[in-house]
Amino acid sequence: MDSGPPHEVTAAGLTLREILAFDDSGALRLLLAPAGQDVEVRGVTFGDEVADRPAGAHMVLAVGASTDLAGAVEPVFRAARQGACAVVLREAEGAAAAPEVLAAAEESGIALLARAAWADWTDIATLLRSALAYARAGRGGHPMADGTPAVGLSALAASIAESAGGSITIEDTGFRVLAHSATRPEADGVRRSTILGGRVPEWRVAELRRSGILRSLWTSRDVIHRPADGDSPERLVIAVRSGPEVLGSIWAAADGRPLSPRAGEALRRAAGAVAPHLARHRLHESGAVRRRDDALRGLLYGQGDRRTHAWSLGLAPDAPCAVLAVVPDPAAGSPSSAGRALDVLGLHAAAYRRTVLVLRERARLLVLMPAERGKDREALALARELDRVAGSLPGGVPVRIGAGSVAASALGAAGSLEEAVLVVRVLREREQRGGDGARVRYAGASGVRTALDVLRVLDTVRPLWEAGGGPVHDLVAADLAAGGELVRTLAAYFDAAGDVTRAAHRLVLHPNTLRYRLRRVRERFGVDMDDPDTRLLLALAVRLTGEV
């Protein structure tokens, strides 16, 4: 699924030929280059921005363009009129390579490229940003601390080690080692096992997670210091980023000698030089990541061959699992801050246990967690930890976390997801109504079972209510149109089990005022609250309006 356009990329130029050479993943396909492949590309313009200002020496990404023939031709002419050197179209049903589109590019003298079907616009923006940064690094734009540019992750790791005076590992967000410096005999056991195993041991990741180091790593842009502790030597770590996105990390460990006083500055400078390499690695893997996400989405939503989805995710189809849903509070914080919070929580969930799988959707995070059958507390423990992390994030956005029951097998993950989403609704409604438990931000299905059943009943009867009519419908419709005073009064009255004094206290009213409003229900709308059927229908109507 395409995401929205990233920010504009502008940098020192490089040729179209160099960009294509950098793209060893095949995300871009050159269809036509009327002026040759040595045209200079100095930046990227997204979508319709090109209509507002010149785009000379820019590559235009046709974000939002239609995939039909007319929709593919028009962006080519528009980009050419603004002086762009190239335009990228989405590869869809062959429209990008249609003779009419090729003819438009030939006539305009503009290079025409197609975006691979497995990539999205964010992938392409990352590729181009990385290519430009990579070119700058090779031309001295991101020298290492010793003043010399380095090429290749292994060479970078060796150069950083020399500047920092310690052992270096460069890792992705899954704690896989992508490069490392030479290992001295004095290196500690964790470093040796990490390099031999190709990734940080799971027990070590759990330790870093519990200590708060990972939370700091995902949220900080500076070097984090971990003092020596027993047999574990002093360590420094910094996250490697591309814009707001965390791509991985660089770790420096003392190995029988103190780290250099300049080690922190060496890591800060190195992060900029390493970023293009990790972005390239991320793009190289994006096809496999997208296939994994598609399989996970199919399993969670019960679509396609669920057994095949499970096997492709490395799960035995009969393995029990639970699903968590993490949803930011839409009333708190901006969409960008909510997105950053979900990104950090996704990284943290993935680090909780190697078998945990995370699907980042636009407005929520879904987490599939293998667990022992009947042990719902395992998923609840992860929910509790994610709630703690969310509360400690800088400028934290409140989130609600629902944990579904453990499904008997991975094939039942969709049922656990349905419960997790309902739990989030229960938490939201309880907070809206106030009272006991209103500030609880996470829960498991087993702890709110009655409330889940009520939501299912309400969802079932909603179509019947909306198709009905009569005095209760008239009351609700008229009152909501006037501001909903009576509906809110009835909600408080029902929640207080008919206790006028308690309901009035919640509404900050005198009890006599509340009694007057209840009389209006009967006198104005002819609704007899003493009748059990009417009272039941009225209670359902109040809950279904959501005005609680």
Side-chain angles (χ1 to χ4, degrees), residues 195-271:
I195 291 173
L196 287 174
R199 67 188 307 148
V200 180
E202 192 163 348
W203 65 265
R204 176 67 163 182
V205 175
E207 179 186 275
L208 295 170
R209 178 176 49 76
R210 287 192 297 268
S211 69
I213 292 289
L214 291 189
R215 182 178 68 254
S216 299
L217 177 63
W218 306 142
T219 57
S220 174
R221 290 183 175 271
D222 205 352
V223 174
I224 297 168
H225 178 245
R226 180 185 173 105
D229 183 17
D231 295 334
S232 179
E234 175 188 19
R235 277 177 164 79
L236 297 177
V237 58
I238 189 169
V240 178
R241 298 173 181 272
S242 175
E245 182 183 14
V246 179
L247 301 173
S249 55
I250 307 172
W251 292 78
D255 53 359
R257 54 180 178 171
L259 291 171
S260 165
R262 301 186 304 277
E265 181 58 28
L267 260 64
R268 291 185 193 94
R269 294 170 65 87

Side-chain angles (χ1 to χ4, degrees), residues 29 31 89-97 114-117:
R29 181 164 69 96
L31 300 176
L89 299 177
R90 185 152 61 108
E91 184 80 277
E93 300 177 359
R115 189 200 83 190

